[in-house]
Amino acid sequence: MKAARLHAYHEPLKLDEVGEPKATGPFDVVVRIGAAGLCRTDLHIQEGQWAEKSGVALPYTPGHENAGWVHEVGPAVTDVAVGDTVIVHPFISCGLCRPCRRGDDMHCLNGSFPGINRDGGFADFLHTSARSVVKLGEGLDPKDIAALADAGLTAIHAVKKAIPVLGAGTHVVVIGAGGLGHIGIQCLKAYTPAEIIVMDPSEPALALAGELGADHTVKVDGTQMDTVKELTDGFGAEAIIDFVGEKGAIEDGIAMVRDGGFYYVIGYGENINVPTIDVISREISFIGNLVGSYTDLNELMILTAQGKVSLHTTTYPLDAINDAMADLDGGRLQGRGILIPG
Amino acid sequence: MKAARLHAYHEPLKLDEVGEPKATGPFDVVVRIGAAGLCRTDLHIQEGQWAEKSGVALPYTPGHENAGWVHEVGPAVTDVAVGDTVIVHPFISCGLCRPCRRGDDMHCLNGSFPGINRDGGFADFLHTSARSVVKLGEGLDPKDIAALADAGLTAIHAVKKAIPVLGAGTHVVVIGAGGLGHIGIQCLKAYTPAEIIVMDPSEPALALAGELGADHTVKVDGTQMDTVKELTDGFGAEAIIDFVGEKGAIEDGIAMVRDGGFYYVIGYGENINVPTIDVISREISFIGNLVGSYTDLNELMILTAQGKVSLHTTTYPLDAINDAMADLDGGRLQGRGILIPG
Amino acid sequence: MKAARLHAYHEPLKLDEVGEPKATGPFDVVVRIGAAGLCRTDLHIQEGQWAEKSGVALPYTPGHENAGWVHEVGPAVTDVAVGDTVIVHPFISCGLCRPCRRGDDMHCLNGSFPGINRDGGFADFLHTSARSVVKLGEGLDPKDIAALADAGLTAIHAVKKAIPVLGAGTHVVVIGAGGLGHIGIQCLKAYTPAEIIVMDPSEPALALAGELGADHTVKVDGTQMDTVKELTDGFGAEAIIDFVGEKGAIEDGIAMVRDGGFYYVIGYGENINVPTIDVISREISFIGNLVGSYTDLNELMILTAQGKVSLHTTTYPLDAINDAMADLDGGRLQGRGILIPG
Amino acid sequence: MKAARLHAYHEPLKLDEVGEPKATGPFDVVVRIGAAGLCRTDLHIQEGQWAEKSGVALPYTPGHENAGWVHEVGPAVTDVAVGDTVIVHPFISCGLCRPCRRGDDMHCLNGSFPGINRDGGFADFLHTSARSVVKLGEGLDPKDIAALADAGLTAIHAVKKAIPVLGAGTHVVVIGAGGLGHIGIQCLKAYTPAEIIVMDPSEPALALAGELGADHTVKVDGTQMDTVKELTDGFGAEAIIDFVGEKGAIEDGIAMVRDGGFYYVIGYGENINVPTIDVISREISFIGNLVGSYTDLNELMILTAQGKVSLHTTTYPLDAINDAMADLDGGRLQGRGILIPG
C-alpha cells in the first residue's frame, strides 16, 4: 500500500510503497483510510519537536486523525464488522489498567499513539484496535468527520470539563476560532447556556464563529482586552478556553479570567508564567487537557449525527501531502485540511 | 482600648490607645479578642508587599486570625448573643451578591478584610459582622483555636477541593508541615483514605507530621524527589498540596504530580512557570485557593470539637507583638504564634 | 389595600380591605404586586390539604408566585431600591443558618413561606425580604414573568440536578407539558444536549412542546410506553422528569427509566410504590425536588432576559380570582393563570 | 472437579463431579477457588426468587463471591499470570459497550453473572475473564477476603456515592451491622468525617460496630427512632445507608432522613412506599445501588491491604455447603460464611 512517511526531520514526507498491516491479535482492527486530518502537530513532528518525547524510529507514517472503513478484524472483535464506517480514536489503550477501567483512556499505562509513536493514517490502511473504533451511523462520510478524531475530540473534552462552571449568566472566552475552536463553540452551545465570546485575529474566522453561535466576536487587534472587560461588566469570564497558547494568548487569558475562574489549556507553544500570589489572591485555576476519552468521541459523533456539530474542511489527495503541509504552515488552509488516499 | 498598629512600612508596630468599635449597624458584632494568630502575611504587610493591593491607610491594626467573646451586637443579629465564644471568619461578606448567595463568601462583590484592608484583631476589640462569627461549643478556648480562622481555614478549603481526586490507592504530597500544613494533614486524614506523604526540611516538623497521621515523611535535603517517586511507584502523586510556594517547592511539586493530577497552590512567593506542552501532554492542573468559606470554617470547628483537628501554638501577650514577629521572621517560633490581649 | 383572602376551607376567597404591610425591619422589602401567578397548590390550599402542614391561621392571603415593583425598603437593604422591578423568590430565608450559608435557601432553618404559611401576593402589596427579591433588567414586565417565581423555579431546579446525567446521546422524558413542564423543556434545551421526549394527554400541550424544542412528542393514550421504548432503543431514558406525579405517571415513569437512571419527582398527589429488588437490580434512583434556590431564580431570570425561556399565560384581574381558580380546576386555563391587582 | 449444584428449587445443593472449565477465549481466566462467600442471595436463589430474572437452566453452580489462584489464562491475558492470587469481580463485562467504556461495569450491555445466570464458584474451579480479576498483594489470603467480592463491593459502592453528602458535622445512619454493614462502617470511616450511627437488633453486631468505629450504636427495640432523632438534634441524618430493606427498616429510614437528605437502598425484600408530597416537601431522594465497579473492588482491596478494612468470617468445607446455608437461614452464622473447596 501507499504511505506518506517521514524519513528525516525537517524534510518533506515521501510517498512509499509498504506492506499492508494485518489483524493478527484477537482485538486487532485494520481500517481502510477514507480520510486523514492534517494537524499542526504534524508540522511540529516534521520539525523534530516530538522526536525525544515520542521516541519513534524513522522512517514512519504520521497521521493521527483518521476515519474510514473496517477492512479486517481479529477473532475476538465484536463491536465492529468488516465494511463498517468508523472514526478512529487516536490512542490505543489496553482496557485493563486502572485508568482504562475508570474510562480514562488517555492515561492508559500501556497505550500507544498511531501517528505519534507508531505508524499512523497517512496511508491506505491503518492498524488499530477494537477499543479505538467508533462505528458511525448512516450518512456520516469519513472525509466530513475525520478531523473530529483529534481536533474535535480535544475540544469536546475541554468543554465537558467546563460544564459545572458555565451556568446561566456566566461568560466563556474562546481564544482561537480555528480547527479546534470552531468545534469548541458548537460544543459550548450544545452543553451550556453560557454567553460565548470568541477572540481571533482573523475576520473570516470570527465570521464563522458568529454563524456557529458565538454571542460576541472580538478581533485580536490590541483592543481585545478592553472589549472583553466591557462585555463581562469588568469582572472577566468564568472560563477561558485557550486553543492557541502562544503569541500573547496566555497573558490575555490570565488577565480576562474572573476571580474564582478557570483557564483551560489546550493550545501549546509557550509557558504559563504567573506569580503564585495572583493565583491565590484571585483563586484562579489552570486546567490541562489531553485529547479525550472514547466516551468523549462517542458523544461527539452523536452530536455530529444530530447536526449539532459540523466541520469546515479542505481536501487534498494523499500524494499532495507536502502541499497540504505547506499550506497549513503558510496560513493558506481554510478549515481543517483532510487527506484522501487514492 | 489597646491596639498594635502599623504606622509606617518596615517599622515595628506601636501599641496605641484607640477608641473602641461600636455595633452601630443592624448586623454588626463587636468581639472582645481572646486570641489573635500571627501569620507570615503580617510580616509581608509590614514589608509593604500588600500596600498597593489592600490600599489601606496607615496607621491601622493588622490581625486576621481572631477568636474571642461577643461583646456587643447590632439589633438584627440572631445567630450569636453577648457572651458567646466565637471564632471570626476573616472576611466580612455582604450576603446578598451572587457569590454570597451560592456560599462563595470569599468572592463577595462587596466584602472587606479586617487586618488586611481595615482594622483587625491585634487589639482588645474587633468590629465584624453577624455573617463572620461561628459560635463555639463548650470547651473550645479562643487561644487554642484562633489560628484556625485563617491558617486552618485555608488548609481545609484546599483539602475539600481535593476530595474527588483522593480515593483509596491514591497518594497526596503535602509540601510543608508548618502552621497550615500540620492542619492540612489532619483534614486529609478526616476526609480521605489517600496515602499521605509529607515533605519538609525540618526534622521536628516531620516528627509532628508523623504523629498527626502522615503515612510517610520525607526530608527536603536534595533526595526528596527520588524518595517520592519510589513511594509512588514512579508515577508521582494524584495531588500535590503546596503550603510553601517558594524555595524550589514549585519545581519539585510539578515534577512529582502524576499525569492527570492536580497541584493545589496555597503558599505564595514565587512564580509558576511551566511549558504549556507539559500541561497538555501530562494533563496536569493547577488549582488556586483563597482562604475558605464560612461553611468551611464551620466544618473545621466541628472537626476540632470532635478532636480530629488540633493546633500547635506558642502564646505571647499582645504587647510583645514585635518580639513575636521577630521570632516568626527568624524561624524561632514553634507552631503558630498567638497573641493574647492584656 | 385589597387582598383576596381565604376565610374558610372549601369556600371561595373574599376580596377584603386590609392594612398595607410596612418595611419595619432592617432587611424588609414591600413589593407593590404587578402580577401574581395562580398555582394548583392554591387549589390544594383551598381544599385544606396544606392546613396541617402549614399551620396557617385563617383568614389569610394566598399567592406565592409574585412580581412587581419595590415600594418600600428597610434601612439596611442595599440590593434593591424603591421603584425597581423585581421578581420575588417564594421563600424568606434567614441567611445565617448552615443551609443558607451554603446557598441551600429552601432548607433554611428559620424560614417562612408567604402564600403558604403567611400572607402572600393575591393583594396590592406583599411583605418580603431583601434576600427574596431579584432585580429585573429593562424590558421584563411582572405579568410576563411572575409565574417563573415558583413554576419556573421548580422546573429549573430539577433540570440543573439532571445536568450530570444528560450528556450527548442520552434521552430525557418530560412527563407533563403544562405550567411547569413547558419551562422545563426550555431549560433542558439551554443546559443539555439530551434528546427530549415529552409526554402529555393534550394535543395543544404537545404542539407547544414541539415549538419549544422537544425532539419527540408522545400522546398519553395507552401506547405511550411502547413509543418511548422504541425511541430509546428498548433501554428507556437516562432521566425522567415527572411534573405530574399522579394518574399513572409514576408507574409509566418507573417503567421508562433506563437501568442506572434517575427519576426526578416534582408533581405530587400519589405514592411512589416500588419493590426494593427493582431499585437495586436496576440501580434506579428517585430524586426529590423542592422549589429552588435564589441562585436558581437568578439564573432563570437571565435565561428569560436572553430569550431562552418564555412563558405562556392568561391574565385575570385580581377581583376575578375565584373565576380564575374555577378555570384552573376545570381545565379551562391555557398556560399559567396570572392575577393583576386593580 | 467437584461442584455444589442446584438441581431443583427448594432442594439442597448436590456435590457433583463435573468437567473443569478451560480458558479457550483470548481473555479467559480459570481460577482455582480458594474460598467462596455465602450470601443471603444464595438462599433466595434456592427458593426460586431469581429463577425468572436470571433465566438460568438447572442444574447449575451458585457462588458469586470468589477468590483463589489463577489456574489457566487465555492467550491475550496480560494483567494476571498463572499462580497469581486474585479476587474475582462478580460480573463479567465486555469492555466495549458504552457503559463499560466509562467504567460502569455493572451496566454492561453484554455481561453475565457467574453464580447467578451461569456457573459460579461453589466448585474447585471458576471460569471468568481477565476483566474480572484483581491481583492481590502479598499477605492477602483468599479465605480472608473472598466475601469482599460482593458484600464488600456493594458496601463500598454505596459509601462512595454518599461521599459528597457526608462532610464534617453530618450524620449517617447505617441500618444493619451484618455481612455488608460491618464493611460499610469501615468504608465510611476511611472516606468521610461523618458521625456514624449504627442500628441493629443484635447486641453482638452492635458491639462489633463499635469496635470498627461507629460513633453511636442503637439497638432496634422500638425506641430507636427517638434515639436517632436525639442524636441528630431532631433533624435526622443527611444519609441513611440501608443494608436491610425489610422488617420496618424502610419506614424507619424514611422517618430518620433529614430534609434534603439521601436514602441509599441496598438491602431488599419489601417495597418503598412513600407519598410524593413527602418526597417533594422534604426534598428527599432514594438512591439505588447494584454491586460495584471493578474500580470500586480495586479500591476496596487497597483499603484491605492497608488494614483499613477487615472481614469477620466463619469457614466451612465446600461439602458442608448445605449446613452453611442452614446456619445462615437460621441466624446461627457469625460474620460472613466462607466455603473452602477440599
Side-chain angles (χ1 to χ4, degrees):
Chain A
M1 67 169 186
K2 279 201 296 190
R5 300 202 296 172
L6 182 70
H7 287 256
Y9 293 113
H10 306 289
E11 295 199 2
L13 274 61
K14 287 191 191 159
L15 222 64
D16 297 335
E17 192 65 29
V18 299
E20 281 183 20
K22 295 292 166 198
T24 49
F27 277 103
D28 283 2
V29 172
V30 174
V31 173
R32 179 160 65 85
I33 294 296
L38 180 63
C39 179
R40 193 162 293 274
T41 288
D42 296 314
L43 298 182
H44 296 328
I45 288 170
Q46 192 184 33
E47 296 157 2
Q49 290 187 20
W50 285 84
E52 194 180 350
K53 269 183 197 281
S54 75
V56 75
L58 303 189
Y60 94 112
T61 310
H64 56 275
E65 283 191 343
N66 303 301
W69 302 274
V70 174
H71 180 69
E72 188 188 2
V73 297
V77 175
T78 54
D79 57 339
V80 292
V82 171
D84 285 347
T85 308
V86 291
I87 189 166
V88 185
H89 188 281
F91 202 72
I92 299 179
S93 56
C94 76
L96 294 172
C97 67
R98 286 190 74 186
C100 277
R101 288 311 289 267
R102 60 174 187 258
D104 185 9
D105 304 289
M106 290 306 301
H107 294 291
C108 173
L109 303 181
N110 311 295
S112 63
F113 208 147
I116 304 290
N117 61 21
R118 52 186 278 188
D119 286 332
F122 291 163
D124 289 326
F125 296 96
L126 173 75
H127 187 265
T128 183
S129 144
R131 286 181 55 82
S132 303
V133 285
V134 177
K135 186 177 168 179
L136 301 179
E138 298 291 313
L140 289 182
D141 187 335
K143 76 175 190 313
D144 296 332
I145 51 85
L148 294 173
D150 178 57
L153 178 55
T154 302
I156 195 174
H157 180 64
V159 167
K160 284 177 63 183
K161 285 192 188 179
I163 293 172
V165 172
L166 293 174
T170 61
H171 293 84
V172 55
V173 175
V174 173
I175 303 182
L180 280 79
H182 85 285
I183 306 169
I185 294 164
Q186 298 174 75
C187 291
L188 285 166
K189 294 294 286 183
Y191 279 102
T192 84
E195 214 165 308
I196 304 171
I197 300 168
V198 180
M199 282 175 49
D200 203 290
S202 150
E203 293 280 9
L206 290 176
L208 175 61
E211 286 166 28
L212 296 174
D215 295 293
H216 308 280
T217 56
V218 179
K219 191 162 185 201
V220 177
D221 60 4
T223 67
Q224 68 270 16
M225 296 303 301
D226 294 338
T227 310
V228 171
K229 281 282 174 187
E230 195 178 321
L231 288 170
T232 57
D233 296 326
F235 291 116
E238 281 80 358
I240 309 294
I241 304 191
D242 179 1
F243 293 106
V244 173
E246 52 186 3
K247 299 174 188 163
I250 299 174
E251 292 72 20
D252 276 10
I254 293 174
M256 288 185 305
V257 67
R258 186 183 175 120
D259 287 6
F262 292 81
Y263 189 112
Y264 300 87
V265 183
I266 301 154
Y268 61 93
E270 298 177 359
N271 276 30
I272 293 172
N273 188 349
V274 57
T276 44
I277 194 171
D278 289 346
V279 174
I280 64 109
S281 67
R282 298 179 51 202
E283 198 165 26
I284 55 176
S285 298
F286 297 85
I287 309 296
N289 292 281
L290 176 60
V291 194
S293 70
Y294 185 90
T295 295
D296 292 334
L297 184 57
N298 218 330
E299 293 201 19
L300 181 60
M301 297 322 297
I302 290 166
L303 292 177
T304 305
Q306 291 172 338
K308 290 175 184 159
V309 167
S310 63
L311 265 172
H312 290 249
T313 58
T314 301
T315 57
Y316 296 79
L318 177 56
D319 50 22
I321 174 79
N322 289 308
D323 297 341
M325 292 178 79
D327 286 352
L328 174 61
D329 200 26
R332 292 182 301 274
L333 211 164
Q334 295 294 321
R336 195 75 168 178
I338 302 294
L339 296 156
I340 313 282
Chain B
M1 69 170 185
K2 278 201 296 189
R5 299 202 299 173
L6 182 69
H7 287 257
Y9 293 112
H10 306 290
E11 295 198 2
L13 274 60
K14 287 189 190 159
L15 222 63
D16 298 333
E17 192 65 29
V18 299
E20 281 183 21
K22 295 290 165 199
T24 51
F27 275 109
D28 283 2
V29 172
V30 174
V31 173
R32 179 159 63 87
I33 295 295
L38 180 63
C39 179
R40 192 162 294 272
T41 288
D42 296 314
L43 298 182
H44 296 327
I45 287 170
Q46 192 184 33
E47 296 157 3
Q49 289 187 23
W50 285 85
E52 194 180 350
K53 268 183 198 281
S54 75
V56 76
L58 302 189
Y60 95 111
T61 311
H64 57 275
E65 283 191 343
N66 304 300
W69 303 274
V70 174
H71 180 69
E72 188 188 2
V73 298
V77 174
T78 55
D79 56 340
V80 292
V82 171
D84 283 348
T85 308
V86 293
I87 189 167
V88 186
H89 187 281
F91 202 72
I92 299 180
S93 57
C94 76
L96 294 172
C97 68
R98 287 190 73 186
C100 276
R101 289 310 289 266
R102 60 173 187 259
D104 185 8
D105 304 289
M106 290 306 301
H107 294 290
C108 172
L109 303 180
N110 311 296
S112 62
F113 208 146
I116 305 291
N117 61 21
R118 52 185 280 187
D119 286 333
F122 291 163
D124 289 327
F125 296 96
L126 172 75
H127 187 264
T128 183
S129 144
R131 286 181 56 81
S132 303
V133 284
V134 177
K135 187 177 168 178
L136 300 180
E138 298 291 315
L140 289 182
D141 188 336
K143 76 177 190 315
D144 296 331
I145 52 84
L148 293 172
D150 179 57
L153 179 54
T154 302
I156 195 174
H157 180 65
V159 166
K160 283 178 63 182
K161 286 192 186 179
I163 292 171
V165 172
L166 292 175
T170 61
H171 293 83
V172 54
V173 175
V174 174
I175 303 183
L180 279 78
H182 85 284
I183 305 168
I185 294 163
Q186 297 174 75
C187 292
L188 284 165
K189 293 296 286 182
Y191 280 102
T192 84
E195 211 165 311
I196 303 171
I197 301 167
V198 179
M199 282 174 49
D200 203 289
S202 150
E203 294 279 11
L206 291 175
L208 175 61
E211 285 166 30
L212 296 174
D215 296 291
H216 309 279
T217 56
V218 178
K219 189 158 188 205
V220 177
D221 60 3
T223 66
Q224 70 268 18
M225 296 304 302
D226 294 337
T227 310
V228 172
K229 281 282 175 187
E230 194 178 323
L231 288 170
T232 58
D233 298 324
F235 291 116
E238 282 79 359
I240 309 295
I241 304 191
D242 179 2
F243 293 105
V244 173
E246 51 186 4
K247 300 175 188 161
I250 300 174
E251 293 70 22
D252 276 10
I254 293 175
M256 289 185 304
V257 66
R258 186 184 174 118
D259 287 6
F262 292 80
Y263 188 112
Y264 300 86
V265 182
I266 300 154
Y268 62 93
E270 297 178 359
N271 276 30
I272 293 172
N273 188 350
V274 56
T276 44
I277 194 171
D278 289 347
V279 174
I280 65 110
S281 67
R282 298 179 51 200
E283 196 165 26
I284 55 175
S285 298
F286 297 86
I287 308 296
N289 293 283
L290 176 60
V291 194
S293 69
Y294 184 90
T295 296
D296 293 334
L297 184 57
N298 218 330
E299 294 200 19
L300 180 60
M301 296 323 298
I302 291 166
L303 292 177
T304 305
Q306 292 172 338
K308 291 176 184 159
V309 167
S310 63
L311 266 171
H312 291 248
T313 58
T314 301
T315 57
Y316 296 80
L318 177 57
D319 50 21
I321 174 79
N322 290 308
D323 296 340
M325 292 178 81
D327 286 352
L328 174 60
D329 200 26
R332 293 183 298 275
L333 212 163
Q334 294 294 321
R336 196 74 168 179
I338 303 293
L339 297 156
I340 313 282
Chain C
M1 69 168 183
K2 279 201 295 190
R5 299 202 297 173
L6 181 70
H7 286 256
Y9 293 113
H10 306 290
E11 295 199 2
L13 274 60
K14 287 190 193 159
L15 222 64
D16 297 334
E17 193 66 29
V18 299
E20 281 182 21
K22 295 291 165 198
T24 49
F27 278 103
D28 283 3
V29 172
V30 174
V31 173
R32 179 159 64 85
I33 295 294
L38 180 63
C39 178
R40 193 162 292 273
T41 288
D42 295 315
L43 299 181
H44 295 327
I45 287 170
Q46 192 184 34
E47 295 158 3
Q49 289 187 23
W50 285 84
E52 194 181 348
K53 267 183 199 280
S54 75
V56 76
L58 303 187
Y60 94 112
T61 310
H64 56 276
E65 282 191 342
N66 303 301
W69 302 275
V70 174
H71 180 69
E72 189 189 1
V73 297
V77 174
T78 54
D79 56 340
V80 293
V82 171
D84 284 347
T85 308
V86 292
I87 189 166
V88 185
H89 188 280
F91 202 71
I92 299 179
S93 56
C94 76
L96 293 174
C97 68
R98 285 190 74 185
C100 278
R101 289 310 291 266
R102 61 173 186 257
D104 184 8
D105 305 289
M106 291 305 301
H107 295 291
C108 173
L109 302 181
N110 311 296
S112 63
F113 207 147
I116 304 290
N117 62 20
R118 54 186 277 189
D119 287 332
F122 292 163
D124 290 326
F125 296 96
L126 172 75
H127 187 265
T128 184
S129 143
R131 285 181 57 82
S132 301
V133 285
V134 177
K135 186 176 168 179
L136 300 179
E138 298 291 315
L140 289 182
D141 187 336
K143 76 176 190 316
D144 295 332
I145 51 85
L148 294 173
D150 179 55
L153 179 55
T154 303
I156 195 174
H157 180 65
V159 166
K160 282 176 64 181
K161 284 192 187 178
I163 292 172
V165 172
L166 292 175
T170 61
H171 293 84
V172 55
V173 175
V174 174
I175 303 184
L180 280 78
H182 84 285
I183 305 168
I185 295 164
Q186 296 174 77
C187 292
L188 284 165
K189 293 296 286 184
Y191 279 101
T192 83
E195 212 165 311
I196 303 171
I197 301 168
V198 179
M199 282 176 48
D200 202 290
S202 151
E203 293 279 10
L206 291 176
L208 176 60
E211 287 166 28
L212 295 174
D215 295 292
H216 310 278
T217 58
V218 178
K219 190 160 186 202
V220 176
D221 61 4
T223 66
Q224 68 271 15
M225 296 304 302
D226 295 336
T227 310
V228 171
K229 280 283 175 186
E230 196 177 321
L231 289 169
T232 57
D233 297 326
F235 291 116
E238 281 80 358
I240 309 294
I241 304 191
D242 180 1
F243 293 105
V244 174
E246 53 186 2
K247 300 175 188 162
I250 299 174
E251 293 71 21
D252 276 11
I254 293 175
M256 289 184 306
V257 67
R258 186 183 176 121
D259 286 7
F262 292 80
Y263 188 113
Y264 300 87
V265 183
I266 301 153
Y268 62 93
E270 296 178 359
N271 277 29
I272 293 171
N273 189 348
V274 57
T276 44
I277 194 172
D278 289 348
V279 173
I280 63 110
S281 67
R282 298 179 51 201
E283 197 165 26
I284 55 176
S285 298
F286 297 85
I287 309 295
N289 292 282
L290 176 60
V291 196
S293 69
Y294 185 89
T295 296
D296 292 335
L297 184 56
N298 218 330
E299 294 200 17
L300 182 59
M301 297 322 298
I302 290 166
L303 292 177
T304 306
Q306 292 172 338
K308 290 176 184 159
V309 167
S310 63
L311 265 171
H312 290 248
T313 59
T314 301
T315 58
Y316 296 81
L318 177 57
D319 50 22
I321 174 80
N322 290 306
D323 297 341
M325 291 179 81
D327 286 353
L328 175 60
D329 200 25
R332 292 182 300 275
L333 212 164
Q334 295 293 321
R336 197 74 167 179
I338 302 294
L339 297 156
I340 312 282
Chain D
M1 68 170 183
K2 279 201 294 190
R5 298 202 299 171
L6 182 69
H7 286 256
Y9 293 112
H10 306 289
E11 295 199 0
L13 274 61
K14 287 190 192 160
L15 222 63
D16 297 334
E17 192 66 28
V18 298
E20 281 183 20
K22 295 289 166 198
T24 50
F27 276 107
D28 284 2
V29 172
V30 174
V31 172
R32 179 159 64 87
I33 295 294
L38 180 63
C39 178
R40 193 161 294 273
T41 288
D42 295 314
L43 298 181
H44 295 327
I45 287 169
Q46 192 184 34
E47 295 157 2
Q49 289 186 23
W50 285 85
E52 194 179 350
K53 269 182 198 279
S54 75
V56 77
L58 303 187
Y60 94 112
T61 310
H64 56 275
E65 284 191 341
N66 304 301
W69 303 274
V70 175
H71 180 69
E72 187 188 3
V73 297
V77 174
T78 54
D79 56 340
V80 292
V82 170
D84 284 348
T85 308
V86 292
I87 189 166
V88 185
H89 187 280
F91 202 71
I92 299 180
S93 57
C94 76
L96 294 173
C97 67
R98 285 189 74 185
C100 278
R101 288 312 289 267
R102 61 173 186 259
D104 185 7
D105 304 290
M106 290 305 301
H107 294 290
C108 172
L109 303 181
N110 310 297
S112 64
F113 207 145
I116 304 291
N117 61 20
R118 53 186 278 188
D119 286 333
F122 291 163
D124 289 327
F125 295 96
L126 172 76
H127 187 264
T128 184
S129 144
R131 285 181 57 80
S132 302
V133 284
V134 177
K135 186 177 169 178
L136 300 179
E138 299 290 315
L140 290 182
D141 187 335
K143 78 176 190 313
D144 296 331
I145 52 84
L148 293 172
D150 179 56
L153 180 55
T154 302
I156 195 174
H157 180 65
V159 167
K160 282 177 64 181
K161 285 192 186 179
I163 293 172
V165 173
L166 293 174
T170 61
H171 294 84
V172 55
V173 175
V174 173
I175 304 183
L180 280 77
H182 84 285
I183 305 168
I185 294 163
Q186 297 174 75
C187 292
L188 284 165
K189 294 295 286 184
Y191 280 102
T192 84
E195 212 165 310
I196 303 171
I197 301 167
V198 179
M199 282 174 49
D200 202 290
S202 151
E203 294 280 11
L206 291 175
L208 176 60
E211 286 166 30
L212 296 174
D215 297 292
H216 309 279
T217 56
V218 179
K219 189 160 188 205
V220 177
D221 60 3
T223 66
Q224 69 270 17
M225 296 303 303
D226 294 337
T227 311
V228 171
K229 282 282 174 187
E230 194 179 322
L231 288 170
T232 58
D233 297 325
F235 291 115
E238 282 79 359
I240 309 295
I241 304 191
D242 180 1
F243 293 105
V244 173
E246 53 186 4
K247 300 178 189 161
I250 299 174
E251 293 71 20
D252 276 11
I254 293 175
M256 288 184 306
V257 67
R258 185 184 176 119
D259 287 6
F262 292 80
Y263 188 112
Y264 299 86
V265 183
I266 301 154
Y268 62 93
E270 297 177 0
N271 277 28
I272 293 171
N273 188 350
V274 57
T276 44
I277 194 172
D278 290 347
V279 174
I280 63 111
S281 67
R282 298 179 52 201
E283 198 165 25
I284 54 176
S285 298
F286 297 85
I287 308 296
N289 293 283
L290 176 59
V291 195
S293 68
Y294 184 90
T295 296
D296 292 334
L297 184 57
N298 218 330
E299 294 200 18
L300 181 59
M301 297 322 299
I302 290 166
L303 292 177
T304 306
Q306 290 172 338
K308 291 175 185 160
V309 167
S310 63
L311 266 171
H312 291 248
T313 58
T314 302
T315 57
Y316 296 80
L318 177 57
D319 51 21
I321 174 79
N322 290 307
D323 297 340
M325 291 178 81
D327 286 352
L328 174 61
D329 200 26
R332 292 182 299 275
L333 212 163
Q334 296 294 321
R336 196 73 168 178
I338 302 293
L339 297 157
I340 312 282

